[in-house]
Amino acid sequence: MPSTTVKEKGTKTVVKRKRSENGEPTKKRRKSEAGEEKEDLASQIQNLESQINESKKHYNNIATLIEYAEKQNEDPTTAIAAAEALCRVFVRLLASGSLVKKKDASEKEATVAKWLRDRLSDYHKALTSMFKSTKLAVQALVLAMALLKAEAQFLEGKDEAVFPWPLFNAIISALLTSPVEEVRDEFCDKFIDEYDDIRFYTFEGIKDFLTQRESVDEELQNTAFEFLLKMEDVPESSEDLEDFYIEQPSKKKHPLRSLSQHKKRAQEAWLALFQLGLSKEQRKKVLDVMASSIAPWFIKPELLMDFLTDCYNTGGSISLLALSGVFYLIQERNLDYPSFYQKLYSLLDTDILHSKYRSRFFRLLDTFLGSSHLPAVLVASFIKRLARLALNAPPSAIVVIVPWFYNLFKKHPLTTFMMHRVPRTKEEKELIEKEGVLDPFLPDEQDPMETHAIDSCLWEIVQLQSHYHPNVATIAKIISEQFTKQAYNLEDFLDHSYGSLIDAEMSKEVKKAPVIEFMIPKHIFTKADSGTEQTDSPLVSLWDFGSS
């Protein structure tokens, strides 16, 4: 059995540790020793901090604490304890002016101040390196921001706070390269969303990071994009800039108190990202939020014209996503796009009604064709093209198209002739009798002013009134009824899908159960047994499964 013995050597007591039969310390003993060692380190860190606060002769303890803080991979608990102690130490030293470069300071004092600044720089590196650790990243961020505030107030020894760029640039760089998404979320929630000056300097820090770095891979681009995207709340005026993490500048003309300067920093950051070159997926992400989160930050949105028009002319889903950005420029900056409606008309292809961006497209399309000043010939082309596409569209798309037609007919009464088109001349009647149909619409014509849609009729709607889906057939019949309703709210129809249509059918209350006569057949592909009352299945007479 393992044993423990105690021997006296003079005044010193020697304790022989308890060991197992094979000579190794027991597992319980090892755990106990590890716990004691951690407690000793924590106690040692506290003693080192106390000694620094007591006397300048113990300033070398700062270097020891930095060594502990740099061991975040080996011992995270000790590293963060040392980092917290260092934060308290440097905040006290900064507040006392020990790191300020004084003109009347002696050579010895200047040397000490320079040494402390060098150690402060080492602490910056140790602290920002913790951003890569899942366990320590958030705690390290809190410490770094506390230190940032103290440096701004005391490091330069001036009456007004001076923003500490070296530390903040290191924080931004560490945030962008950190694999821990949680630390970026924490920074956005607790600092960017709360303080206008932190958002201001973050834009500038991201711009510097993207422009000064030799190469930026796709992963870093995505991280920078997601980071910029989190800063989506654009202040409405300079009066809204009132929340500051660092002391508010006293000068009224200071950049921090100017909304145009805030927007300028944001614009430079976004342009720096665009200049790196975007992949197709990244372009989609950018275009998806262009009108809501990017363009409002630009003091010169016209800088986006080339990018947006190129995307709009690309075709496919890219054009669809660029549509909202182009419309923003037309609305806000009077962008002149002569062939806008022709390009918009070209987007109406077989894929548009199956696209996941269908709802978004119809919202914009409703806006673009909502003006009563548009030519009826143009509006008729859009109606006819969509009616033709509706013949092969999913039910969830058709239930949007028909109410939208209704609204357009109310806004543009001249297009209602398409609903009641009948042969008027003898030649038209003879042509219908000969060919069976008369439709002058030119489906391959690219110019919506030249399709002759206004001379056509909406026979496609009549076909939809016999659609296999009862909801589609019912809603298609509103075009054949009296137009007593002022308008339909498209939002009630835009987000339908196969699932929502099925759920609507399944949740309907059946007032009267249908009468069903049903007999379970014993044979499907073979003849019924002779001598029974059962008849052969229709499949028996349709297919011969006998041997050939």
Side-chain angles (χ1 to χ4, degrees), residues 313-421:
N313 293 328
T314 301
S317 59
I318 295 288
S319 291
L320 200 60
L321 290 169
L323 191 58
S324 58
V326 172
F327 175 64
Y328 178 87
L329 292 182
I330 291 173
Q331 193 177 41
E332 299 294 327
R333 284 293 187 269
N334 297 320
L335 171 66
D336 184 19
Y337 199 108
S339 57
F340 177 77
Y341 281 98
Q342 186 172 336
K343 182 62 184 176
L344 182 64
Y345 184 71
S346 70
L347 293 179
L348 299 176
D349 56 18
T350 54
D351 297 327
I352 190 68
L353 298 181
H354 297 269
S355 171
K356 66 178 180 179
Y357 305 112
R358 182 182 64 219
S359 299
R360 177 181 183 161
F361 176 75
F362 270 103
R363 286 186 179 97
L364 290 169
L365 193 61
D366 188 46
T367 302
F368 298 145
L369 297 178
S371 173
S372 58
H373 299 291
L374 290 174
V377 174
L378 177 76
V379 177
S381 293
F382 280 88
I383 292 174
K384 183 64 178 177
R385 173 70 76 94
L386 275 170
R388 188 64 61 86
L389 292 174
L391 294 174
N392 296 310
S396 54
I398 301 173
V399 296
V400 180
I401 292 172
V402 177
W404 184 68
F405 284 172
Y406 183 100
N407 292 349
L408 283 182
F409 287 138
K410 294 285 284 188
K411 290 178 184 176
H412 305 274
L414 286 177
T415 60
T416 56
F417 288 106
M418 300 171 69
M419 293 187 293
H420 308 291
R421 182 74 59 198

Side-chain angles (χ1 to χ4, degrees), residues 438-490:
L438 176 64
D439 194 345
F441 174 64
L442 303 176
D444 297 326
E445 175 60 51
Q446 297 300 312
D447 187 352
M449 297 296 290
E450 301 293 336
T451 62
H452 301 298
I454 195 70
D455 299 321
S456 179
C457 64
L458 291 178
W459 57 266
E460 297 90 349
I461 297 296
V462 179
Q463 298 298 313
L464 293 176
Q465 290 173 356
S466 302
H467 197 274
Y468 73 87
H469 197 292
N471 288 1
V472 173
T474 301
I475 205 166
K477 289 175 184 176
I478 65 173
I479 303 297
S480 301
E481 297 170 356
Q482 290 289 331
F483 277 32
T484 55
K485 193 177 181 70
Q486 183 62 33
Y488 282 93
N489 182 9
L490 282 187

